[in-house]
Amino acid sequence: MEDMSHVAILLVKAEPGLPIVGAASGRAKVLGYDAQALQGMPLSLLCPVRQPDGQASAAALDGVLDQLQHAGSLSLPWRFQTRAGETRPHELHLTLTEREGEPQVAVCMVDVSRLQFAEVLNQAKNELLEMVATGQPLTPVLNRLTAVIESQFDGLYCTVLLLDLDGRHVRVGAGPRMPADYMQALDGAEIGPTAGSCGTAMFDNRLVVVDDIATHPLWAAYKNLVLPYGFKACWSAPIHAANGGVIGSFAMYYREVRRPRPEELSAMSAASHLAGIAIDQARRDEERRRAAQWLEEQVQQRTAELLATQDELVNSRKLAALGQLLAGIAHEMNTPLGNALLSASALHAGSASFAERMAAGTPLRRQELANWVAQAREGTELVEQNVERALRLISRFKQLTEGSGRALRSRFDLRQAVLQAWARVQSRLGIERVQLRCDLPDDFALDGYPDVLQQVLEQLLENACLHAFPNGRDGQIRVTARRTGDAGGERLTLELRDNGVGMPQTDVARAFEPFFTTAFGQGGCGLGLFVAHSFVSGMLGGSLKLDSQPGEGTVVRVALPLQHDPALQLAA
């Protein structure tokens, strides 16, 4: 264990070179030196040759002494160097004093390397949890984790190995700086009581420290794999899932025979914990994906069976459609709810960490609390966004089942129905740069189902705003209506024309299919036009057609019958 003090007091002469008169650090050493060995040593010999700003340490100390002569006391950041050659950041507090008529300087040295290291770990923790919460793939998350830990220690190489679902074999997780051939050799290796550092750590579920690979019995069967690459020490900690089971290992490699310092053990503990969160979440995502795939395969199989017997079963087509709808619902609901669960899991893990620290009486820094508040805010926003998306999907599903059953027939003004539908779309989507031009007379009165027609109009207007004018571009939607008559009777044709980006014919052909959308992840779920088409062709007894060309906008025509006991007729 390290025996160096993190706070030391030196007494130096107030003269060039600042020779040390005495030192006090309790029983610990000062930067690896005994107090007696410091007697007469210039303070600059405890510093690296140059400070971070490039100035020579000896010259910089002379400048500090000049300032101290005028100010009486100073506090400033400083870099010192241990006897082993490691540079460490300090806070330096100097006070000019006098002893037996001789001017001296009391120097208080506060080693802040652990505090800075803790801040780096906390920032890395927030970054990695955000990557997990936003659904980043496992490999980039683990690569980033190893890079963060490696950046804190000179000469360090890190790996993350995964324990296969069979509980016996190793799979490569991350180790971007390690030799590729060595990592490939580890893939598929079996864990055991003498399977190197990582295999033993996973098998025994304990921290394994090997300071000399060449002579340690745990590496007897594996040392010829790693020694050619110059690695001489390896320490490994097991990675645990949320249920406590071992799911992998986090390892540190060095090209020198050595044992870990407290900071390295702390880093390994934090890294294995974060890796556990990422791996556990990735496996849950994979389980959900497999479950969804299995459900989809089952639905497809069932649909195929129903279609094969359609000549024998009157309701086979309805059942097949229902199966497809359920598959779409399962697929669509899985994404927002899965994202919400992911964010909630990350928040839970962070809360547990804070609770442990509070229970242990560990002081919380204001910056740590601020970082946690920001992380919690981002996590709750992700939960809220995805739950809102799920609720919108549920609302669309309810429209399919309840829209026509609760509709009431009444007299209404067509222009007002269009304007009310537009107002709702504007409020819901925050539309600002798309204008509605409603070329309908003020007293265009109809007798029918205003709620159903208004839902159709909302779906069509919303679809135009989302797809015709991407990236918030300016645009216009024009609404017109005309009466037409032919051998099939009198009809009202309502036309919605936009000057947006238009659609290719492949999309036009599929526009009314359920769950077809070109805007997954952007608010689209593929049900808007399907719902509108269902209402028009169902309860309203009309037709819905769509014409579009890329770059030429889109025209939607809603044709509704006005005679023979129609769902819609001109009001008297």
Side-chain angles (χ1 to χ4, degrees):
M1 295 292 289
E2 187 180 59
D3 64 349
M4 287 186 288
S5 174
H6 292 277
V7 179
I9 304 294
L10 301 179
L11 193 62
V12 302
K13 293 182 179 180
E15 62 184 47
L18 298 174
I20 298 173
V21 177
S25 60
R27 297 182 179 179
K29 297 181 178 181
V30 178
L31 298 172
Y33 294 91
D34 292 325
Q36 296 81 356
L38 297 175
Q39 294 284 342
M41 182 185 296
L43 186 61
S44 60
L45 292 185
L46 297 181
C47 307
V49 175
R50 296 186 179 277
Q51 291 297 308
D53 61 1
Q55 188 177 10
S57 294
L61 284 174
D62 289 341
V64 169
L65 179 60
D66 290 340
Q67 296 179 48
L68 191 62
Q69 299 285 359
H70 296 87
S73 63
L74 286 175
S75 295
L76 67 159
W78 199 259
R79 292 295 176 100
F80 286 99
Q81 184 171 287
T82 68
R83 190 170 188 176
E86 179 188 359
T87 300
R88 291 194 175 187
H90 281 68
E91 288 182 358
L92 192 59
H93 305 280
L94 304 100
T95 302
L96 190 62
T97 184
E98 184 175 314
R99 184 177 180 183
E100 297 179 357
E102 180 183 20
Q104 295 182 343
V105 179
V107 180
C108 178
M109 304 161 50
V110 181
D111 188 341
V112 296
S113 58
R114 286 191 175 182
L115 292 176
Q116 292 185 358
F117 178 62
E119 291 178 359
V120 169
L121 279 184
N122 189 61
Q123 293 173 0
K125 178 179 179 180
N126 292 337
E127 177 186 356
L128 292 166
L129 288 177
E130 181 178 355
M131 293 178 71
V132 172
T134 53
Q136 295 292 319
L138 180 61
T139 298
V141 175
L142 297 181
N143 284 343
R144 179 58 182 154
L145 173 61
T146 58
V148 168
I149 301 302
E150 288 170 344
S151 68
Q152 300 306 304
F153 305 99
D154 294 335
L156 173 63
Y157 295 78
C158 296
T159 66
V160 177
L161 298 182
L162 311 179
L163 183 59
D164 195 88
L165 295 178
D166 65 8
R168 297 176 52 197
H169 295 91
V170 169
R171 300 298 173 197
V172 173
R177 294 184 63 229
M178 295 293 287
D181 291 343
Y182 174 65
M183 297 301 292
Q184 185 176 358
L186 294 180
D187 194 61
E190 189 168 354
I191 66 174
T194 57
S197 299
C198 296
T200 305
M202 286 187 270
F203 185 83
D204 289 344
N205 190 17
R206 65 179 177 89
L207 173 67
V208 174
V209 175
V210 173
D211 54 2
D212 188 351
I213 292 175
T215 61
H216 203 286
L218 293 183
W219 280 85
Y222 299 93
K223 61 184 179 182
N224 291 332
L225 287 176
V226 68
L227 289 178
Y229 299 107
F231 295 109
K232 296 181 179 180
C234 178
W235 322 315
S236 183
I239 297 173
H240 298 103
N243 61 7
V246 176
I247 55 177
S249 66
F250 186 92
M252 291 181 165
Y253 288 80
Y254 276 99
R255 287 192 162 106
E256 58 182 317
V257 175
R258 54 168 295 189
R259 295 187 64 80
R261 301 194 305 269
E263 298 96 317
E264 291 163 326
L265 292 176
S266 175
M268 183 181 296
S269 175
S272 60
H273 174 68
L274 291 173
I277 294 175
I279 297 170
D280 203 22
Q281 189 59 51
R283 291 191 171 181
R284 291 181 184 179
D285 290 343
E286 179 63 18
E287 290 173 1
R288 285 192 288 268
R289 188 193 66 79
R290 290 179 180 178
Q293 181 179 358
W294 176 87
L295 176 60
E296 187 174 353
E297 290 173 353
Q298 294 299 310
V299 172
Q300 291 175 351
Q301 179 182 351
R302 183 57 181 160
T303 301
E305 293 173 356
L306 293 172
L307 291 175
T309 58
Q310 61 182 347
D311 292 335
E312 301 176 7
L313 301 174
V314 176
N315 294 324
S316 61
R317 290 188 177 179
K318 292 182 179 180
L319 291 175
L322 178 61
Q324 292 176 349
L325 183 60
L326 288 175
I329 292 173
H331 177 77
E332 290 298 318
M333 294 297 289
N334 181 66
T335 299
L337 293 181
N339 289 340
L341 177 60
L342 183 66
S343 300
S345 298
L347 289 172
H348 182 270
S351 299
S353 176
F354 263 68
E356 290 175 0
R357 295 186 62 182
M358 293 178 66
T362 304
L364 292 177
R365 300 176 71 249
R366 176 174 295 182
Q367 185 60 45
E368 292 177 326
L369 187 57
N371 290 340
W372 165 243
V373 170
Q375 176 188 346
R377 183 185 300 113
E378 293 172 0
T380 53
E381 287 176 354
L382 284 173
V383 172
E384 183 178 16
Q385 292 169 4
N386 284 281
V387 171
E388 286 179 352
R389 181 182 174 189
L391 291 175
R392 287 197 299 270
L393 288 170
I394 293 172
S395 177
R396 294 289 174 85
F397 303 151
K398 290 177 66 178
Q399 286 178 353
L400 289 175
T401 59
E402 299 179 358
S404 61
R406 297 184 180 181
L408 298 176
R409 186 163 190 147
S410 63
R411 189 176 188 274
F412 65 98
D413 184 88
L414 181 58
R415 177 182 175 84
Q416 289 302 313
V418 172
L419 295 178
Q420 289 175 10
W422 175 244
R424 292 181 182 177
V425 172
Q426 278 187 306
S427 175
R428 184 161 60 244
L429 300 183
I431 301 299
E432 296 180 354
R433 304 183 67 177
V434 179
Q435 302 298 320
L436 177 72
R437 177 180 172 184
C438 185
D439 291 339
L440 297 175
D442 289 333
D443 297 323
F444 202 140
L446 298 172
D447 184 62
Y449 298 98
D451 291 341
V452 176
L453 182 59
Q454 202 163 45
Q455 288 188 43
V456 171
L457 292 169
E458 284 186 39
Q459 301 290 2
L460 298 178
L461 292 170
E462 178 176 315
N463 190 75
C465 292
L466 288 175
H467 300 280
F469 309 106
N471 302 321
R473 59 176 290 178
D474 295 334
Q476 183 187 82
I477 303 173
R478 182 187 179 193
V479 181
T480 59
R482 68 180 186 276
R483 294 170 60 183
T484 58
D486 54 24
E490 189 175 19
R491 305 176 72 84
L492 172 69
T493 300
L494 193 62
E495 186 176 279
L496 289 80
R497 181 185 297 270
D498 67 62
N499 60 351
V501 297
M503 301 168 58
Q505 290 304 303
T506 53
D507 290 349
V508 172
R510 301 186 59 193
F512 300 121
E513 293 180 11
F515 300 107
F516 173 75
T517 180
T518 59
F520 274 121
Q522 305 172 30
C525 67
L527 285 175
L529 290 180
F530 173 70
V531 170
H533 187 273
S534 299
F535 285 166
V536 172
S537 61
M539 188 172 185
L540 298 180
S543 63
L544 181 62
K545 295 183 179 180
L546 187 151
D547 293 323
S548 185
Q549 292 291 338
E552 298 181 8
T554 300
V555 180
V556 180
R557 295 182 179 88
V558 183
L560 303 172
L562 293 175
Q563 295 179 342
H564 305 298
D565 194 23
L568 186 72
Q569 64 182 16
L570 295 174

